[in-house]
């Protein structure tokens, strides 16, 4: 049986992790994989952290993974990369958006946003870091950050034979398709 | 055609394919999206949000007795609210197929407890099915309607968060149109008087025997033999974890129907394996019954009965293997959910949190987030509606002991309709001096914006009557002079109302009315409220960095070298502007 691959998308409510994981899982289904995708939401819209787990292979049983099992973690926010580090498999890869969203205790000035996260993660794992927000803003729409990150994810994942441009077209509004594909391709070039 | 679907989408699809025509529910995580997907088939299935789970269940019971295939969905604690009709409906049986979806929340992702509702099936003696993925969620929903009609019983489809909110592939099929069963008056069957009830009680035992025979023969209870060393009995999502941890060498008895249990099949399976494991999330529901049948097994002595399971926990429990994780000494700062920027609850709770010698009796909703720092504006949270009734009891106890502590009960609009109204009736009738605050944000907020009896729209999008909360309060006996209708984002007005209410010797109501900032505003909302004010800004030359604004807990206010307001997040609610002691904050005039 082909080994199951585990991907973890982590971020903060409102960052668009759900759409990115939806596009990703549609592509994997089209490629003929058995796919399970699990998300924890509920209070995510109220500033909490969000995570989506995607597992694919010949036959997937559990919809969720445990610690040390993710082949790839894509963090939409820097501190979330640190929070989920223990889910990374030894030898796994991390794609990190160099972007900070302070949480409530930080906003209130009770604690500082941790410094040196990237250096710490670089010492522990194989990481790719870039500023997806700047790329998205450069495209004229900061909301495209999630699709830029999806591009980087797909590159890092390296599953051949999937027509991602078509998958994107199938999953976004027609008048945004070109912009999304552009954002996706810029993400591809980052890893 | 195969589609990736969540368990909730698949249940809705199953109800559609099964020819269901009636659905009633009260929203609650992780069940909410079932009806939000049933409404996509509204040309075939009539569906509605009921004021609470008891009303939802009873409405579906009525439709089923009338002859329609009906379903009712709710979260695990909702079944507590609906338990009364459920237990008697088990006695009467049904006419059209009836399915109750109980969506449990092991690990309490969004709930106040993690009760295992499989116990309800055995307690109420109703047939139970447990799907283990989205495909099964759809297939079992359809089967549930058939079995309900076959055995003349309500059927409970028990799912959990990981089934509800995980996506897996589902094979879509066409809808089967099922005609209404003929309705006929049948007093002996449907009138549960003591005399009839006794007859029903004996019939119920016969039904359980027939269902048990089915359970022993159905292929949704399947044995998969791979070897004789290890056998695993499991159901629901726990089966998926077990399948992955024990692998291809173990034999499995996967149970899709878990009440009544297929005890003959279990005995046969147990005989064929040397070591028998029972893998369950939460309670030893299957294990206890297996042990009572005299079969030895390994279960809860190694598998935790608290919190949700995963492959990590199970691997450690069975093999003692800890996963190799990459760790760091550096810790991420917690990211708790907070009241949104512009949330109308913040204004009210900000004022309330400053009142001394007050017990705040809380409830279930977004305002429960006000219990966290910095507001700390909630003393209790028990269940839906408890704020008003528990507040009444506390007020009586304080008064009887001669203490001058006052009680302010805080409840939302949807929760008030759910079960706050009866509590308020008790406050008025039995004369306590509670101040009941109804935070009417014009929608059911926490679960993601469902219509309710106060919003003027139904689940199916039709305009309808609106409950007049003020009139309800008057009708139960709170005089008009003791009802304060306020804008909770106007802190002065809020403070005046609270001060006036606290000065009264008897019960009062504060109705704080302002729409949820995330809501899709109706035309009426736009007419009634100023919903696009200018944004707030801090004049850094005046700001003394006293952080009074920061202590409102608004996520748009950033405290660093300077205190700043994020202009994208700010909605112009102006709570910060009103608390600033130095008038350093201004709002852009539009």
């Amino acid at each position: 049986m082909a080994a199951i691959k585990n991907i973890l998308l982590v971020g903060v409510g409102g960052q668009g992790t759900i759409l990115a994981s939806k596009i990703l899982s549609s592509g994997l289904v089209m490629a003929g994989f058995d796919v399970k995708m699990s998300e924890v939401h509920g209070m995510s819209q109220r500033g909490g952290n969000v995570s989506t787990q995607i597992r694919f292979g010949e036959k997937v049983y559990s919809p969720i993974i445990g610690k040390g099992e993710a082949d790839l973690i894509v963090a939409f926010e820097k501190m979330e990369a640190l929070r989920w580090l223990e889910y990374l498999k030894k030898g796994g890869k991390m794609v990190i958006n160099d972007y900070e969203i302070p949480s409530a205790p930080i906003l209130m000035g009770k604690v500082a946003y941790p410094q040196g996260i990237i250096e710490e993660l670089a010492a522990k794992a194989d990481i790719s870091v870039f500023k997806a927000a700047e790329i998205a803003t450069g495209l004229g729409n900061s909301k495209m950050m999630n699709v830029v990150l999806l591009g980087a994810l797909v590159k890092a994942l390296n599953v051949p034979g999937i027509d991602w441009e078509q998958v994107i077209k199938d999953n976004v509004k027609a008048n945004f398709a070109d912009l999304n594909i552009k954002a996706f391709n810029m993400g591809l070039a980052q890893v | 055609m195969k589609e990736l679907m969540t368990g909730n989408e698949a249940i809705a699809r199953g109800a559609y394919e099964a020819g269901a025509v009636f659905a009633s529910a009260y929203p609650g995580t992780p069940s909410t999206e079932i009806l939000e997907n049933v409404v996509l088939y509204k040309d075939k299935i009539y569906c509605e949000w009921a004021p609470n789970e008891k009303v939802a269940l009873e409405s579906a019971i009525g439709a089923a007795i009338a002859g329609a295939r009906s379903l009712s969905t709710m979260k695990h604690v909702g079944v507590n609210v609906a338990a009364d009709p459920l237990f008697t409906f088990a006695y009467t049986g049904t006419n059209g197929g009836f399915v109750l979806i109980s969506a449990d929340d092991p690990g309490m992702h969004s709930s106040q407890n993690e009760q295992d509702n499989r116990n309800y099936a055995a307690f109420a003696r109703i047939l139970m099915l447990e799907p283990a993925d989205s495909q099964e969620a759809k297939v079992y929903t359809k089967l549930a309607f058939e079995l309900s009609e076959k055995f003349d019983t309500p059927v409970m489809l028990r799912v959990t968060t990981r089934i509800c909110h995980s996506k897996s592939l589902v094979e879509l099929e066409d809808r089967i149109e099922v005609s209404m069963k003929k309705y006929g008056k049948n007093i002996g069957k449907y009138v549960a008087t003591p005399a009839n009830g006794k007859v029903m009680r004996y019939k119920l035992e016969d039904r359980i025997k027939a269902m048990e025979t089915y359970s022993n023969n159905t292929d949704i209870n399947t044995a998969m033999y791979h070897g004789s060393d290890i056998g695993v009995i499991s159901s629901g999502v726990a089966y998926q974890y077990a399948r992955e941890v024990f692998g291809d060498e173990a034999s499995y008895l996967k149970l899709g129907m878990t009440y009544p249990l297929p005890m003959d099949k279990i005995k046969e399976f147990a005989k064929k394996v040397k070591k028998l494991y029972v893998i369950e999330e939460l309670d030893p529901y299957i294990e206890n019954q297996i042990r009572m049948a005299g079969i030895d097994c390994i279960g809860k002595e190694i598998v935790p009965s608290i919190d949700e399971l995963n492959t990590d926990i199970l691997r450690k429990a069975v093999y003692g293997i800890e996963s190799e994780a990459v760790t760091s000494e550096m810790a991420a700062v917690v990211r708790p959910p907070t009241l949104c920027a512009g949330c109308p609850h913040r204004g009210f709770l900000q004022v309330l949190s400053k009142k001394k010698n007050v017990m705040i009796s809380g409830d279930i909703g977004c305002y429960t987030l006000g219990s966290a720092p910095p507001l700390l504006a909630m003393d209790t949270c028990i269940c839906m509606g408890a704020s008003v009734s528990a507040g009444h009891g506390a007020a009586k106890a304080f008064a009887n002991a001669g203490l001058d502590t006052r009680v302010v009960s805080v409840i939302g609009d949807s929760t008030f309709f759910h079960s706050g109204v009866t509590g308020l009736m008790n406050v008025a009738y039995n004369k306590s001096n509670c101040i009941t605050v109804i935070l009417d944000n014009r929608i059911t907020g926490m679960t993601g914006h469902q219509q309710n009896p106060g919003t003027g729209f139904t689940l199916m999008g039709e305009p309808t009557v609106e409950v007049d909360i003020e009139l309800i309060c008057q009708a139960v006996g709170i005089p008009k002079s003791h009802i304060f209708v306020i804008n909770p984002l106007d802190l002065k007005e809020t403070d005046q109302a609270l001060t006036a209410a606290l000065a009264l010797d008897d019960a009062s109501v504060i109705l704080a009315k302002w729409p949820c900032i995330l809501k899709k505003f109706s035309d009426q909302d736009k007419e009634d409220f100023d919903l696009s004010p200018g944004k707030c800004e801090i004049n850094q030359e005046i700001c003394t960095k006293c952080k009074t604004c920061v202590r409102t807990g608004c996520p748009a206010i950033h405290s660093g070298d300077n205190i700043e307001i994020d202009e994208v997040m700010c909605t112009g609610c102006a709570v910060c502007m009103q608390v600033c002691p130095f008038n350093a904050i201004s709002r852009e005039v539009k």
Side-chain angles (χ1 to χ4, degrees), chain B residues 109-426:
Chain B
H109 294 282
S110 314
S111 306
Q112 67 268 44
N113 78 16
E114 60 171 2
Q115 66 189 46
D116 187 335
N117 274 11
R118 292 179 303 169
N119 296 303
Y120 264 120
F123 195 5
R125 299 176 167 83
I126 56 174
L127 196 153
M128 169 166 59
L129 303 178
E130 277 189 86
D133 61 20
S134 298
Q135 172 68 22
E136 287 186 2
K138 194 203 79 166
V139 172
Y140 287 13
T141 301
K142 294 168 81 170
L143 180 64
F145 282 105
E146 285 169 30
L147 295 181
S148 171
E149 288 169 5
K150 180 181 168 81
F151 293 106
D152 188 13
T153 177
V155 173
M156 180 164 106
L157 187 86
R158 190 263 191 172
V159 286
T160 54
T161 304
R162 295 301 180 177
I163 298 294
C164 295
H165 287 171
S166 294
K167 286 190 175 187
S168 56
L169 290 166
V170 177
E171 182 87 51
L172 303 187
E173 293 162 286
D174 292 333
R175 175 177 166 95
I176 308 154
E177 292 297 343
V178 179
S179 47
M180 281 270 286
K181 295 254 171 161
K182 196 171 172 300
Y183 173 74
K185 196 174 180 125
N186 189 343
I187 292 170
K189 177 168 165 58
Y190 294 118
V191 182
T193 55
N196 291 338
K198 279 198 174 173
V199 181
M200 295 172 193
R201 178 73 188 85
Y202 285 100
K203 279 190 181 162
L204 179 56
E205 291 307 303
D206 294 339
R207 188 199 295 159
I208 292 169
K209 284 194 191 87
M211 294 192 301
E212 192 176 349
T213 305
Y214 178 87
S215 189
N216 276 312
N217 290 297
T218 175
D219 57 12
I220 67 167
N221 291 331
T222 325
M224 291 163 272
Y225 292 104
H226 300 124
S228 60
D229 287 345
I230 292 175
V232 180
I233 299 178
S234 192
S235 67
V237 76
Y239 164 75
Q240 307 287 9
Y241 305 144
R243 189 69 185 71
E244 200 152 312
V245 167
F246 289 95
D248 292 338
E249 289 76 37
S251 290
Y252 296 89
L253 178 58
K254 179 185 176 301
L255 302 180
M257 178 167 171
T258 44
Y259 187 83
L261 282 178
M263 206 45 84
D264 294 344
K265 222 175 223 178
I266 289 170
K267 282 177 184 161
E268 188 191 326
F269 182 78
K271 266 185 214 154
K272 290 184 179 164
V273 296
K274 292 187 189 111
K275 205 170 183 181
L276 181 66
Y277 287 92
V278 180
I279 305 299
E280 296 176 88
E281 201 167 50
L282 301 182
D283 292 350
Y285 165 81
I286 299 172
E287 181 186 338
N288 284 349
Q289 295 181 63
I290 289 180
R291 285 189 193 279
M292 274 167 68
I295 302 165
D296 195 26
C297 60
I298 303 164
K300 288 296 166 186
E301 67 266 43
I302 61 161
V303 180
S305 53
I306 300 174
D307 212 339
E308 67 172 353
L309 281 183
N310 60 37
T311 48
D312 246 6
I313 295 170
L314 201 52
R315 203 169 285 123
K316 193 180 164 202
V318 177
Y319 300 114
I321 303 170
E322 294 260 16
S323 61
E324 265 192 82
V326 187
T327 54
S328 167
E329 297 294 309
M330 201 182 224
V333 181
V334 290
R335 200 182 285 284
T338 53
L339 293 172
C340 305
C343 175
H345 302 335
R346 176 172 291 103
F348 186 83
L349 295 174
Q350 165 71 28
V351 176
L352 177 59
S353 68
K354 304 291 176 220
K355 296 291 173 198
K356 302 278 183 259
N357 200 19
V358 159
M359 172 190 172
I360 307 172
S361 182
D363 221 297
I364 308 269
C366 286
Y367 37 86
T368 319
L369 297 172
S371 64
L375 292 173
L376 304 171
M378 198 143 288
D379 294 12
T380 61
C381 168
I382 313 292
C383 69
M384 295 286 288
S387 60
V388 186
S389 25
H392 165 80
K396 281 283 180 189
F398 288 137
N400 290 344
L403 300 170
D404 60 358
T405 305
R406 292 295 297 270
V407 179
V408 178
S409 307
V410 178
I411 190 168
D413 49 336
S414 189
T415 313
F416 180 70
F417 303 138
H418 180 283
S419 46
V421 181
T422 41
L424 186 64
M425 209 179 286
N426 197 38

Side-chain angles (χ1 to χ4, degrees), chain A residues 17-26 29 33-41 52-56 60-64 171, chain B residues 3-10 33 37 132-137 160-170 237 240:
Chain A
T17 49
I18 307 266
L19 177 69
S21 41
K22 190 179 160 200
I23 297 173
L24 175 65
S25 49
S26 313
V29 169
F33 290 107
D34 186 22
V35 178
K36 281 193 177 169
M37 169 178 151
S38 191
E39 43 192 59
V40 167
H41 49 82
T52 307
Q53 313 191 355
I54 294 160
R55 312 191 70 212
F56 69 99
V60 181
Y61 291 103
S62 168
I64 52 170
N171 280 284
Chain B
E3 232 180 75
L4 260 189
M5 283 185 155
T6 61
N8 282 348
E9 289 168 333
E33 302 84 2
N37 280 282
D133 61 20
S134 298
Q135 172 68 22
E136 287 186 2
T160 54
T161 304
R162 295 301 180 177
I163 298 294
C164 295
H165 287 171
S166 294
K167 286 190 175 187
S168 56
L169 290 166
V170 177
V237 76
Q240 307 287 9

Side-chain angles (χ1 to χ4, degrees), chain B residues 91-106:
Chain B
Y91 277 36
T92 67
T94 188
N95 183 24
F98 174 94
V99 181
L100 160 67
I101 317 286
S102 169
D104 297 10
D105 191 17

Side-chain angles (χ1 to χ4, degrees), chain A residues 41-100:
Chain A
H41 49 82
M43 295 194 280
S44 51
Q45 206 163 20
R46 286 137 195 98
N49 46 292
V50 291
S51 65
T52 307
Q53 313 191 355
I54 294 160
R55 312 191 70 212
F56 69 99
E58 197 181 307
K59 170 76 188 161
V60 181
Y61 291 103
S62 168
I64 52 170
I65 62 168
K67 287 172 186 165
E69 289 186 355
D71 295 277
L72 174 62
I73 295 180
V74 179
F76 283 47
E77 199 273 350
K78 221 164 59 178
M79 193 166 71
E80 295 310 310
L82 180 62
R83 192 187 312 284
W84 292 89
L85 175 68
E86 59 182 357
Y87 279 78
L88 191 68
K89 188 184 273 182
K90 285 243 158 118
K93 204 168 161 46
M94 261 191 165
V95 172
I96 303 165
N97 183 15
D98 190 357
Y99 185 72
E100 293 182 7

